[in-house]
Amino acid sequence: MRQYLEGSHAVAQIVRLCKAQVISAYPITPQTHIVESLAQMVADGELNAEFINVESEHSAASVVQGASATGVRTYTATTSQGLLYMIEVLYSIAGLRLPVILTCANRAVSSPINIWNDHQDSVTARDAGWLQFYAENNQEACDLHLMAYRLAEDHNIMLPVMVCMDGYILTHAYEVVDLPEQSQVDKFLPDFKPVHCLNPDEPISMGVLMGPESYTETRYAIHQTMMDALNVIPGIADEFEQVFGRKVNCLIEKYRLEDATQVFVAMGSMVGTIKEVIDGLREDGQKVGLLKIIAHRPFPKKIVYEALKNAREIAVLEKAVSLGEEGPLFSDVKSAFCGHGNQPKISGFVLGLGGRDITKKSILEVQDTLAGAQVDVKFIDLKI
Amino acid sequence: MIIPVTSKPRTSKANKTGTWRSGKKPHFIQKECIACRLCVMVCPEGCISGDKKCTYISDYKYCKGCGNCVAVCPVADIEMVKEEWWRETIS
Amino acid sequence: MKEIRIHARAGQGAITTAALLGTAAFIGGKYALAFPHFGAERMGAPMNAFVRLSDQVIRLRSQVYEPDYLIVLDPSLMRGFDVFEGFRPGGVAIINHHEKVQCPKPIQNIKVFTVPGNDIATEVLGRPIGNTTILGAFAAATNEFGLESLQQAILERFSGEVAKKNAEAARRGYEYIKERCLR
């Protein structure tokens, strides 16, 4: 049913519909509305779950790790400093192959202190073994959470999933969202059946010591699973379309890409603004297009290459930078061309850090720079 | 290249928090005042000054209009009054 | 697409104002995007809320720099700050104030309505919270949605007496504009 509500509340509704049973989170702007909403639902009896209050994000992640290990569906949410605080637990959750779902309300990291949106927090966790998806708008944020539970608990995957939505820009934005019925969600998302779980009747230990003779294979297995996930995801996206009556893009989205010579590549809410700019440029007869990346991990390298191979100039725009090198998404996109004959100009752009507004002018500045010599890192809207 | 992420003390002097007031400000009647200095101690901006009885006054460049001084004055010698902002200037 | 910029101080209900505006437009069959932009995280800090209204899905996520409509909930914000920055020709501004306000720059075909929202709210709600009154005035001055849609949005957002009184405050704001033969 189409409703008009705040992004955070829409996500909370989805978590309720997915019947998460253990929720533990520590409040941090701009994620607070999500967890407040869920706490209210539990208190009002609308959601039959244990809401466990803890004193830190590290503990919140530990709680959901332990709960997931007992075979229950879990949920947590965080951002920025909170994500970094819990990061060792995130690696552990993936290593234990637990299907925990986490919403990252993307926010810049300190120091200096900044509570506004960028992607530096979630890209920092990209090596941890979590599937990571980035939402363009609140409808996508909702749909990706539904997909997240389904994918995470699939016995071919059994990995945690992080759904990233831009802090304030999406979490605090009121938009029209089509929320599903409980019956539809029940049809799409069966009960969680763990592969291994802590059970006093059949005791096991999880996360044991594995030395040089056996550790490598566990990491190989996660990597292979993430590669396999690229093949599993489209089939499940088809199921999603059948149940909910709308398409969900889970890996990439192509926008006016067919004959595009100049292509923008980006993740998250800035994609909406880029689409507006592209429509304007197309009216002027310019052949520009957009490749939206939704899955950052696993990175759909082959699909990205196929989508971009006919472009002459590619601009990768991102709200993060691996300081001392270049933007992480830029590195990933360049790697998609490795081993292939053609080498279009691929330039990397960093913008929107610390919540600096990305305007149509920002995108046009990217296009202007793209026309010149190739650059690895160009900071857009820089005040120096 | 280093962009400092620091600030020095006393920089709060440049931040004229008087602009934060919306609608009310404390009026120091200066009649019953006993120079107890409770208003000075309780002001969150530290912008009340005075010496002998009935000499105490807010620096309205910084006064945020919180009313703490009114609340603590033991002789009710301070009152909140409506402030017609468009007729006053903050110099 | 129409773009709206709301000027207020944190704690004055600008986000609720933007949300109600968007909800009213949604009830009226439009798409709406409403979002805040804060300065300092304290009560009283100047802040903005933005709304976009359209017949199509709204994709633009930047702040609003060239508003078609302006709402100023706290007139003290105009002290030393140009709320009319970027205001488009033909635009409509609603200022919550009991003294007439004029745009400092000449912009073609704009309409600036000054509505004593807090005074009306004090009568109707017993508190000087003029948002819903101002929204009623907005509906009348712009025709982006009807008073009924706005009142329905208010009744969905609030409950009981508070809801009824705010719906009445909206009507009073609406009538304030209509009575002055504007649109």
Side-chain angles (χ1 to χ4, degrees), chain C residues 95-156:
Chain C
I95 319 277
N96 181 18
H97 201 13
H98 54 254
E99 273 198 9
K100 197 155 159 37
V101 171
Q102 271 187 330
C103 178
K105 305 174 287 220
I107 306 176
Q108 263 193 318
N109 287 335
I110 58 169
K111 289 193 170 71
V112 180
F113 299 118
T114 312
V115 180
N118 289 356
D119 296 341
I120 294 174
T122 306
E123 274 180 56
V124 177
L125 303 172
R127 305 173 91 203
I129 303 175
N131 316 23
T132 38
T133 310
I134 294 301
L135 281 173
F138 179 89
T142 66
N143 280 329
E144 288 294 339
F145 45 80
L147 177 62
E148 305 72 36
S149 298
L150 175 59
Q151 289 179 318
Q152 189 182 328
I154 290 170
L155 293 170
E156 278 173 18

Side-chain angles (χ1 to χ4, degrees), chain A residues 2 4 29 115-116 136-137 168-170 172-176 255 269 272-273 275-276 279 357-360, chain C residues 1 15 18-19 22-23 26 30-39 41 51 57 59-63 65 157:
Chain A
R2 285 171 87 245
Y4 189 73
T29 300
I115 61 165
W116 290 268
E136 176 191 339
N137 52 48
Y168 287 126
I169 301 176
L170 293 184
H172 285 57
Y174 283 78
E175 274 177 64
V176 180
Y255 188 73
S269 65
T273 302
K275 284 179 178 172
E276 285 287 303
D279 282 358
D357 200 25
I358 296 177
T359 62
K360 290 187 191 174
Chain C
M1 179 168 71
I15 300 174
T23 308
F26 170 65
K30 291 197 165 107
Y31 285 95
L33 172 68
F35 57 101
H37 180 75
F38 298 100
E41 252 186 318
V51 186
V57 172
R59 301 175 304 185
L60 186 60
R61 293 280 170 183
S62 66
Q63 291 168 34
Y65 296 97
R157 174 81 179 211

